[in-house]
Amino acid sequence: MSVERSTGADGGLVAALSFPLTTNRRALGAAVVAVVTYVGLVLSSFPAYSAQMLGADLGYLDDAVLALTANTYASIGPFGLGLVVAYAVLTGVALTNVATQLRLQDVSGVRDLLGVVPGLLASGCASCGAGVLGLLGFAGALAAMPFGGNLLRLAGIVLLLFFLARSGDPRNCRVS
């Protein structure tokens, strides 16, 4: 393992974001996590519809994802849909980095990457919309927020990017 580490936030963010692209296996893993995250977020945006479609037959998964993607686009616009996609991609990157750091370092070395949890939760809850909030009894909360919740989504993604920048490349040791 290398002892050097980029100290700049930009260098750490570039290292963290590019790490999954270092091998085909990592890239595929990050892509699979991103797709699963996107599908989960889109399906949770309208849980009753998703349950009906998938309860009838799992073959309707593609129809449900396409319909709910169109619904998400109509509800929160192209910027909001872009934020949902960005969150899914960043989740793939973050989980790939966490898995590598867990494999290479002891549990105490994972402290930096576990800091992405607040960003994952904040932007994840905002991205899935009324799905999670409805389960918690706050169905109209996201709709009542300014810009249809896009500001909260953006804040969660910025938080996730901050923690990824802070952790950098998971293969590099952090010397305090």
Side-chain angles (χ1 to χ4, degrees), residues 60-144:
Y60 290 122
L61 177 64
D62 57 343
D63 292 332
V65 170
L66 287 174
L68 291 175
T69 296
N71 184 44
T72 301
Y73 181 83
S75 299
I76 58 177
F79 181 70
L81 183 61
L83 290 175
V84 172
V85 170
Y87 171 73
V89 170
L90 288 174
T91 299
V93 169
L95 291 181
T96 301
N97 291 1
V98 167
T100 300
Q101 195 161 16
L102 279 172
R103 192 174 36 100
L104 295 177
Q105 298 179 5
D106 62 351
V107 176
S108 64
V110 181
R111 203 174 33 212
D112 281 344
L113 281 176
L114 289 181
V116 290
V117 171
L120 286 172
L121 292 176
S123 56
C125 289
S127 295
C128 71
V132 171
L133 292 175
L135 293 174
L136 299 174
F138 302 108
L142 196 61

XYZ file of all heavy atoms in Angstrom, residues 60-144:
579
model
N -42.854 -7.263 -15.500
C -43.258 -5.856 -15.638
C -42.243 -4.895 -15.037
O -42.493 -3.692 -14.985
C -44.616 -5.622 -14.971
C -45.766 -6.260 -15.708
C -46.578 -7.186 -15.079
C -46.050 -5.923 -17.025
C -47.642 -7.770 -15.745
C -47.102 -6.503 -17.699
C -47.895 -7.426 -17.053
O -48.943 -8.006 -17.719
N -41.111 -5.399 -14.580
C -40.102 -4.535 -13.980
C -39.651 -3.448 -14.953
O -39.599 -2.269 -14.589
C -38.893 -5.357 -13.515
C -37.729 -4.556 -12.928
C -38.165 -3.855 -11.646
C -36.544 -5.455 -12.669
N -39.372 -3.823 -16.189
C -38.920 -2.826 -17.156
C -40.007 -1.800 -17.459
O -39.735 -0.602 -17.568
C -38.405 -3.480 -18.435
C -39.438 -4.379 -19.108
O -40.420 -4.764 -18.450
O -39.259 -4.681 -20.306
N -41.266 -2.250 -17.551
C -42.369 -1.313 -17.778
C -42.513 -0.344 -16.603
O -42.720 0.855 -16.799
C -43.693 -2.060 -17.981
C -43.720 -2.845 -19.283
O -43.022 -2.442 -20.236
O -44.444 -3.857 -19.334
N -42.398 -0.880 -15.393
C -42.527 -0.040 -14.198
C -41.402 0.984 -14.132
O -41.639 2.164 -13.839
C -42.544 -0.908 -12.938
N -40.173 0.556 -14.410
C -39.034 1.480 -14.361
C -39.184 2.571 -15.419
O -38.962 3.753 -15.140
C -37.699 0.722 -14.513
C -36.535 1.677 -14.704
C -37.454 -0.165 -13.302
N -39.587 2.194 -16.630
C -39.766 3.198 -17.685
C -40.891 4.176 -17.350
O -40.748 5.387 -17.514
C -40.041 2.516 -19.024
C -38.846 1.827 -19.673
C -39.275 1.063 -20.918
C -37.762 2.828 -20.006
N -42.014 3.653 -16.871
C -43.143 4.525 -16.531
C -42.789 5.456 -15.378
O -43.128 6.650 -15.409
C -44.359 3.682 -16.175
N -42.111 4.936 -14.382
C -41.775 5.771 -13.229
C -40.622 6.725 -13.533
O -40.526 7.786 -12.910
C -41.488 4.904 -12.010
C -42.734 4.192 -11.473
C -42.378 3.248 -10.344
C -43.786 5.194 -11.027
N -39.769 6.383 -14.482
C -38.753 7.340 -14.927
C -39.439 8.513 -15.621
O -39.099 9.674 -15.373
C -37.739 6.672 -15.873
O -37.032 5.661 -15.159
C -36.754 7.675 -16.435
N -40.423 8.214 -16.470
C -41.186 9.286 -17.127
C -41.940 10.120 -16.097
O -42.005 11.351 -16.204
C -42.158 8.694 -18.142
N -42.492 9.466 -15.077
C -43.197 10.175 -14.011
C -42.235 11.064 -13.221
O -42.567 12.200 -12.882
C -43.884 9.169 -13.089
C -44.712 9.841 -12.032
O -45.445 10.783 -12.320
N -44.599 9.360 -10.811
N -41.059 10.555 -12.940
C -40.052 11.343 -12.224
C -39.649 12.555 -13.046
O -39.538 13.664 -12.522
C -38.819 10.463 -11.911
O -39.237 9.351 -11.120
C -37.752 11.238 -11.166
N -39.444 12.355 -14.335
C -39.094 13.464 -15.229
C -40.202 14.510 -15.243
O -39.942 15.710 -15.176
C -38.827 12.934 -16.638
C -38.447 14.006 -17.621
C -37.135 14.456 -17.697
C -39.397 14.580 -18.461
C -36.781 15.445 -18.595
C -39.040 15.567 -19.363
C -37.736 15.999 -19.432
O -37.379 16.985 -20.311
N -41.459 14.048 -15.327
C -42.588 14.984 -15.354
C -42.760 15.697 -14.014
O -43.161 16.855 -13.975
C -43.872 14.236 -15.710
N -42.426 15.022 -12.933
C -42.617 15.599 -11.594
C -41.530 16.592 -11.215
O -41.822 17.667 -10.701
C -42.647 14.494 -10.533
O -43.693 13.615 -10.773
N -40.282 16.212 -11.427
C -39.191 17.052 -10.926
C -38.301 17.608 -12.025
O -37.329 18.302 -11.743
C -38.337 16.303 -9.878
C -37.748 15.021 -10.449
C -39.138 16.033 -8.634
C -36.838 14.270 -9.507
N -38.602 17.286 -13.281
C -37.887 17.871 -14.401
C -36.564 17.193 -14.700
O -36.137 16.284 -14.000
N -35.917 17.665 -15.762
C -34.658 17.042 -16.174
C -33.540 17.207 -15.152
O -32.724 16.311 -14.970
C -34.321 17.742 -17.492
C -35.115 18.989 -17.493
C -36.328 18.738 -16.657
N -33.503 18.340 -14.470
C -32.470 18.560 -13.455
C -32.653 17.581 -12.296
O -31.692 16.979 -11.831
C -32.516 20.008 -12.950
C -31.464 20.316 -11.928
C -30.127 20.393 -12.291
C -31.813 20.538 -10.603
C -29.150 20.675 -11.350
C -30.842 20.826 -9.655
C -29.509 20.897 -10.031
N -33.885 17.413 -11.848
C -34.162 16.480 -10.759
C -33.848 15.046 -11.141
O -33.282 14.294 -10.347
N -34.210 14.658 -12.360
C -33.890 13.305 -12.829
C -32.378 13.127 -12.929
O -31.846 12.072 -12.570
C -34.554 13.032 -14.176
C -34.355 11.623 -14.742
C -34.933 10.574 -13.803
C -34.992 11.516 -16.116
N -31.686 14.153 -13.367
C -30.221 14.106 -13.409
C -29.623 13.929 -12.028
O -28.625 13.216 -11.853
N -30.229 14.568 -11.024
C -29.752 14.404 -9.654
C -29.967 12.974 -9.159
O -29.122 12.421 -8.456
C -30.457 15.399 -8.725
C -30.086 16.864 -8.912
C -30.945 17.751 -8.013
C -28.613 17.089 -8.635
N -31.087 12.365 -9.530
C -31.347 10.975 -9.143
C -30.306 10.056 -9.790
O -29.752 9.169 -9.135
C -32.784 10.548 -9.529
C -32.993 9.065 -9.303
C -33.807 11.355 -8.736
N -30.010 10.287 -11.068
C -28.998 9.482 -11.764
C -27.620 9.712 -11.138
O -26.862 8.756 -10.910
C -28.990 9.804 -13.276
C -27.803 9.171 -13.975
C -30.292 9.359 -13.917
N -27.295 10.972 -10.856
C -25.999 11.275 -10.225
C -25.882 10.589 -8.877
O -24.824 10.042 -8.532
C -25.838 12.782 -10.067
N -26.957 10.585 -8.106
C -26.934 9.903 -6.815
C -26.684 8.408 -6.989
O -25.890 7.814 -6.261
C -28.251 10.131 -6.071
C -28.353 9.268 -4.848
C -27.598 9.555 -3.724
C -29.151 8.137 -4.833
C -27.655 8.747 -2.609
C -29.212 7.324 -3.727
C -28.468 7.629 -2.611
O -28.509 6.828 -1.527
N -27.326 7.797 -7.975
C -27.142 6.364 -8.210
C -25.693 6.055 -8.588
O -25.097 5.100 -8.087
C -28.105 5.879 -9.291
N -25.108 6.879 -9.457
C -23.719 6.671 -9.869
C -22.775 6.866 -8.681
O -21.862 6.062 -8.454
C -23.355 7.619 -11.036
C -21.858 7.596 -11.317
C -24.139 7.234 -12.279
N -22.992 7.916 -7.902
C -22.136 8.157 -6.740
C -22.272 7.060 -5.694
O -21.306 6.731 -5.002
C -22.449 9.521 -6.128
C -21.988 10.718 -6.946
C -22.481 12.016 -6.317
C -20.480 10.721 -7.089
N -23.458 6.479 -5.583
C -23.631 5.354 -4.666
C -22.794 4.172 -5.127
O -22.160 3.500 -4.309
C -25.116 4.959 -4.573
O -25.852 6.073 -4.065
C -25.318 3.769 -3.662
N -22.781 3.917 -6.433
C -21.934 2.844 -6.966
C -20.469 3.081 -6.661
O -19.750 2.168 -6.243
N -20.018 4.310 -6.833
C -18.624 4.657 -6.540
C -18.339 4.490 -5.042
O -17.343 3.873 -4.657
C -18.319 6.103 -6.993
C -16.976 6.577 -6.465
C -18.371 6.205 -8.503
N -19.208 5.030 -4.211
C -18.982 4.988 -2.764
C -18.958 3.552 -2.249
O -18.083 3.187 -1.450
C -20.056 5.794 -2.041
N -19.884 2.726 -2.685
C -19.911 1.356 -2.188
C -18.731 0.531 -2.710
O -18.225 -0.339 -1.998
C -21.239 0.697 -2.529
C -22.443 1.268 -1.764
C -23.719 0.532 -2.140
C -22.222 1.225 -0.270
N -18.285 0.808 -3.915
C -17.088 0.142 -4.433
C -15.875 0.527 -3.595
O -15.061 -0.318 -3.224
C -16.848 0.511 -5.906
O -17.991 0.118 -6.656
C -15.615 -0.156 -6.463
N -15.754 1.804 -3.264
C -14.641 2.277 -2.449
C -14.696 1.703 -1.033
O -13.670 1.304 -0.483
C -14.624 3.802 -2.404
C -14.255 4.408 -3.741
O -14.021 3.705 -4.716
N -14.232 5.721 -3.803
N -15.880 1.649 -0.459
C -16.020 1.093 0.894
C -15.645 -0.385 0.897
O -14.927 -0.848 1.793
C -17.458 1.299 1.435
C -17.706 0.461 2.671
C -17.693 2.768 1.743
N -16.115 -1.139 -0.099
C -15.796 -2.573 -0.166
C -14.292 -2.789 -0.278
O -13.734 -3.673 0.372
C -16.525 -3.210 -1.342
N -13.621 -1.975 -1.083
C -12.167 -2.112 -1.223
C -11.459 -1.751 0.060
O -10.540 -2.450 0.486
C -11.663 -1.226 -2.375
O -12.308 -1.639 -3.577
C -10.162 -1.326 -2.536
N -11.893 -0.684 0.699
C -11.219 -0.281 1.928
C -11.462 -1.299 3.039
O -10.571 -1.568 3.828
C -11.670 1.106 2.376
C -10.746 1.690 3.426
C -10.880 3.174 3.559
O -11.847 3.756 3.099
N -9.914 3.796 4.188
N -12.638 -1.892 3.082
C -12.890 -2.950 4.061
C -11.974 -4.146 3.815
O -11.509 -4.782 4.761
C -14.346 -3.408 3.988
C -15.368 -2.547 4.703
C -16.784 -3.008 4.379
C -15.136 -2.579 6.203
N -11.730 -4.450 2.559
C -10.886 -5.589 2.220
C -9.418 -5.309 2.520
O -8.685 -6.197 2.946
C -11.065 -5.929 0.743
C -10.473 -7.239 0.330
C -10.818 -7.579 -1.108
N -10.858 -6.412 -1.968
C -9.877 -6.026 -2.784
N -8.817 -6.697 -2.890
N -9.981 -4.954 -3.520
N -8.962 -4.076 2.327
C -7.545 -3.761 2.453
C -7.108 -3.284 3.830
O -5.938 -3.402 4.168
C -7.161 -2.683 1.426
C -7.270 -3.084 -0.039
C -6.921 -1.892 -0.924
C -6.373 -4.262 -0.350
N -8.014 -2.703 4.589
C -7.622 -2.098 5.848
C -8.443 -2.659 6.985
O -9.430 -3.341 6.779
C -7.804 -0.575 5.782
C -6.940 0.065 4.733
C -7.145 1.564 4.674
O -7.858 2.132 5.479
N -6.515 2.215 3.723
N -8.008 -2.317 8.178
C -8.796 -2.730 9.330
C -10.032 -1.851 9.452
O -10.186 -0.875 8.736
C -7.962 -2.679 10.610
C -7.464 -1.275 10.942
O -7.618 -0.373 10.100
O -6.938 -1.084 12.041
N -10.887 -2.177 10.371
C -12.158 -1.482 10.517
C -11.962 -0.009 10.855
O -12.704 0.845 10.391
C -13.028 -2.181 11.585
C -14.310 -1.421 11.820
C -13.315 -3.610 11.172
N -10.940 0.331 11.609
C -10.730 1.734 11.968
C -10.345 2.571 10.748
O -10.595 3.760 10.716
C -9.652 1.858 13.048
O -8.405 1.412 12.534
N -9.760 1.963 9.727
C -9.391 2.686 8.522
C -10.578 3.018 7.642
O -10.464 3.791 6.704
N -11.715 2.459 7.923
C -12.912 2.668 7.114
C -13.682 3.897 7.604
O -14.651 4.315 6.994
C -13.788 1.393 7.158
C -15.023 1.545 6.313
C -12.994 0.206 6.675
N -13.231 4.505 8.650
C -13.932 5.633 9.248
C -14.234 6.736 8.240
O -15.330 7.283 8.224
C -13.095 6.178 10.397
C -13.857 6.923 11.412
C -12.992 7.312 12.588
N -11.624 7.593 12.186
C -10.566 7.360 12.934
N -10.714 6.847 14.131
N -9.365 7.628 12.520
N -13.275 7.060 7.364
C -13.494 8.119 6.369
C -14.628 7.770 5.418
O -15.496 8.580 5.146
C -12.240 8.365 5.546
C -11.219 9.213 6.268
O -11.602 9.853 7.271
O -10.064 9.222 5.841
N -14.594 6.551 4.886
C -15.612 6.191 3.916
C -16.964 5.953 4.549
O -17.988 6.121 3.902
C -15.183 4.959 3.121
C -14.181 5.270 2.015
C -13.742 3.991 1.340
C -14.747 6.218 1.002
N -17.003 5.569 5.810
C -18.295 5.418 6.459
C -18.944 6.783 6.684
O -20.131 6.867 6.955
C -18.167 4.658 7.777
C -17.866 3.169 7.609
C -17.785 2.493 8.969
C -18.892 2.488 6.746
N -18.157 7.827 6.517
C -18.703 9.171 6.590
C -19.628 9.490 5.427
O -20.330 10.496 5.470
N -19.643 8.653 4.389
C -20.560 8.886 3.282
C -21.984 8.523 3.654
O -22.913 8.887 2.935
C -20.162 8.122 1.998
C -18.934 8.682 1.379
C -20.039 6.649 2.252
N -22.190 7.837 4.760
C -23.540 7.426 5.149
C -24.503 8.608 5.238
O -25.612 8.537 4.715
C -23.512 6.599 6.448
C -24.897 6.342 6.980
C -22.790 5.282 6.196
N -24.118 9.729 5.869
C -25.062 10.863 5.887
C -25.426 11.353 4.487
O -26.574 11.678 4.217
C -24.325 11.956 6.673
C -23.320 11.231 7.489
C -22.931 10.021 6.686
N -24.445 11.404 3.590
C -24.735 11.817 2.224
C -25.625 10.820 1.502
O -26.525 11.191 0.764
N -25.369 9.529 1.721
C -26.214 8.505 1.108
C -27.647 8.630 1.604
O -28.594 8.559 0.831
C -25.679 7.107 1.429
C -24.417 6.662 0.707
C -23.919 5.347 1.278
C -24.653 6.540 -0.772
N -27.811 8.812 2.907
C -29.156 8.907 3.461
C -29.853 10.187 3.038
O -31.016 10.168 2.653
C -29.106 8.816 4.991
C -28.683 7.466 5.555
C -28.591 7.531 7.067
C -29.615 6.364 5.118
N -29.146 11.298 3.091
C -29.784 12.579 2.766
C -30.216 12.625 1.311
O -31.359 12.960 1.006
C -28.830 13.731 3.071
N -29.314 12.295 0.406
C -29.695 12.373 -1.000
C -30.556 11.192 -1.407
O -31.385 11.307 -2.294
C -28.458 12.485 -1.890
O -27.580 11.416 -1.646
N -30.391 10.056 -0.764
C -31.221 8.899 -1.079
C -32.669 9.125 -0.716
O -33.572 8.855 -1.510
N -32.917 9.630 0.452
C -34.289 9.898 0.864
C -34.912 10.967 -0.017
O -36.088 10.902 -0.348
C -34.338 10.317 2.324
S -33.996 8.956 3.450
N -34.106 11.953 -0.399
C -34.637 12.998 -1.268
C -34.865 12.479 -2.680
O -35.816 12.870 -3.343
C -33.672 14.176 -1.301
N -34.009 11.581 -3.139
C -34.146 11.081 -4.505
C -35.342 10.168 -4.666
O -35.989 10.161 -5.700
C -32.876 10.329 -4.913
O -31.794 11.213 -4.954
N -35.628 9.366 -3.643
C -36.741 8.433 -3.812
C -38.076 9.119 -3.568
O -39.119 8.570 -3.873
C -36.582 7.220 -2.910
S -36.823 7.539 -1.167
N -38.049 10.307 -3.034
C -39.272 11.087 -2.915
C -40.228 10.563 -1.884
O -39.853 10.151 -0.803
N -41.486 10.564 -2.245
C -42.538 10.234 -1.294
C -42.547 8.767 -0.907
O -43.263 8.389 0.003
C -43.887 10.620 -1.878
N -41.762 7.935 -1.571
C -41.735 6.519 -1.222
C -41.358 6.294 0.223
O -42.134 5.748 1.005
N -40.177 6.738 0.605
C -39.729 6.570 1.987
C -40.471 7.534 2.901
O -40.893 7.164 3.991
C -38.203 6.778 2.090
C -37.755 6.821 3.531
C -37.479 5.664 1.353
N -40.652 8.770 2.458
C -41.336 9.746 3.298
C -42.783 9.327 3.563
O -43.303 9.547 4.651
C -41.278 11.129 2.653
C -39.894 11.771 2.589
C -39.944 13.080 1.830
C -39.319 11.978 3.968
N -43.422 8.719 2.565
C -44.792 8.245 2.750
C -44.866 7.134 3.775
O -45.807 7.065 4.573
N -43.874 6.257 3.763
C -43.833 5.196 4.760
C -43.651 5.753 6.167
O -44.095 5.166 7.142
C -42.702 4.210 4.447
C -42.881 3.387 3.175
C -41.631 2.571 2.906
C -44.095 2.482 3.277
N -42.983 6.896 6.253
C -42.757 7.527 7.553
C -43.887 8.479 7.942
O -43.842 9.079 9.004
C -41.427 8.293 7.539
C -40.183 7.445 7.290
C -38.957 8.340 7.156
C -39.983 6.432 8.393
N -44.878 8.634 7.078
C -46.005 9.500 7.377
C -45.848 10.929 6.896
O -46.586 11.813 7.299
N -44.876 11.183 6.040
C -44.630 12.539 5.540
C -44.781 12.595 4.021
O -43.917 13.091 3.315
C -43.220 13.000 5.907
C -42.936 12.993 7.374
C -42.085 12.050 7.925
C -43.527 13.915 8.205
C -41.817 12.039 9.275
C -43.268 13.915 9.561
C -42.410 12.972 10.100
N -45.884 12.093 3.499
C -46.053 11.952 2.049
C -45.955 13.278 1.302
O -45.390 13.341 0.221
C -47.380 11.283 1.741
N -46.474 14.341 1.833
C -46.460 15.624 1.135
C -45.255 16.479 1.445
O -45.116 17.567 0.904
N -44.352 16.009 2.283
C -43.229 16.833 2.723
C -42.308 17.221 1.569
O -41.894 18.370 1.458
C -42.436 16.115 3.809
N -41.982 16.269 0.701
C -41.069 16.574 -0.397
C -41.709 17.517 -1.403
O -41.067 18.412 -1.931
C -40.629 15.273 -1.084
C -39.414 15.380 -1.987
C -38.201 15.838 -1.191
C -39.127 14.063 -2.645
N -43.001 17.351 -1.655
C -43.696 18.226 -2.599
C -43.792 19.652 -2.068
O -43.834 20.605 -2.839
C -45.083 17.680 -2.881
N -43.814 19.804 -0.757
C -43.919 21.125 -0.156
C -42.580 21.855 -0.131
O -42.542 23.054 0.108
C -44.477 21.012 1.264
